Amino acid sequence: MEVETPVGTARAEVHGAAQDRGVLLLGHGAGGGTDSPDLVTATRAAVDAGVHVVTVEQPYRVAGRRAPAPTRQLDTAWLAVASALASDRFPELPLLFGGRSSGARVACRTAGAGGAEAVLCLAFPVHPPGKPEKHRLAELDGVEVPVLVVQGESDPFGRPEPAPRRQVVLVAGNHALRGDQEPVYRAVHEWLDRVLRPLDLSDSTA
């Protein structure tokens, strides 16, 4: 489905689950699409955990441009898609944000404004390769809901440390996360089940 945003047309693909535990929006990296191995694996893990998944293609990609849009445009488009899906397609379901690399940064920056219950980060780019002083940890630290970071052990973009609301799972590989997908699947599936369990209980007692 196509979603009109203030900065262009985004594309969203819905992957339905057998249950209605929540909906996870997943964004792509700066130079890639939604078919990267880790995003495909995260989608499968979420659907198996009873969570609908919506993979979101940013307007610059839909328009055929390879260079990523400015931060403000990325965040604006993302929030517009999230709002449209929450109101039209998945009303009253818990909303979770996620993505890989640049998409993970967007998810972190917009979690508060978008009302996300949790954030999934695949290969969060802590800093440009070789420039640890130019870190983006403020984006991660600013998230006030549970966060899962799945990071390659040899990622040249660095890796964040665990924090009170943040779980970090290291897997074999680099920033691309193209290796064995079983650890990625297991980490995402177990984390989603854990963060959604309290919401499941609240729904059953409402």
Side-chain angles (χ1 to χ4, degrees), residues 19-193:
Q19 297 172 270
D20 286 324
R21 298 184 71 190
V23 54
L24 170 64
L25 272 65
L26 286 176
H28 53 76
T34 57
D35 58 350
S36 63
D38 54 343
L39 286 176
V40 171
T41 297
T43 297
R44 182 165 53 91
V47 169
D48 289 350
V51 179
H52 305 292
V53 176
V54 181
T55 52
V56 179
E57 192 173 2
Q58 284 275 356
Y60 77 90
R61 293 279 302 181
V62 175
R65 298 191 297 272
R66 293 190 60 83
T71 297
R72 182 187 61 79
Q73 293 185 22
L74 293 174
D75 294 357
T76 297
W78 180 265
L79 287 171
V81 173
S83 177
L85 290 168
S87 61
D88 299 339
R89 188 72 181 264
F90 298 104
E92 301 182 6
L93 285 185
L95 188 63
L96 302 92
F97 286 178
R100 71 160 278 108
S101 195
S102 172
R105 296 181 64 193
V106 173
C108 287
R109 291 194 302 262
T110 59
E117 299 283 353
V119 175
L120 169 62
C121 298
L122 302 169
F124 186 91
V126 177
H127 57 73
K131 298 180 179 180
E133 72 281 1
K134 296 185 177 181
H135 65 79
R136 296 109 171 202
L137 289 174
E139 295 176 350
L140 265 177
D141 293 340
V143 181
E144 298 182 351
V145 293
V147 178
L148 172 65
V149 181
V150 180
Q151 202 83 358
E153 291 178 325
S154 57
D155 193 332
F157 288 81
R159 66 190 190 200
E161 295 297 325
R165 290 185 297 269
R166 182 166 70 229
Q167 178 185 358
V168 178
V169 175
L170 299 179
V171 299
N174 54 26
H175 193 66
L177 294 179
R178 293 183 178 276
D180 183 10
Q181 295 296 302
E182 180 57 30
V184 178
Y185 176 95
R186 185 169 57 251
V188 173
H189 189 281
E190 292 176 355
W191 176 77
L192 283 171
D193 186 63

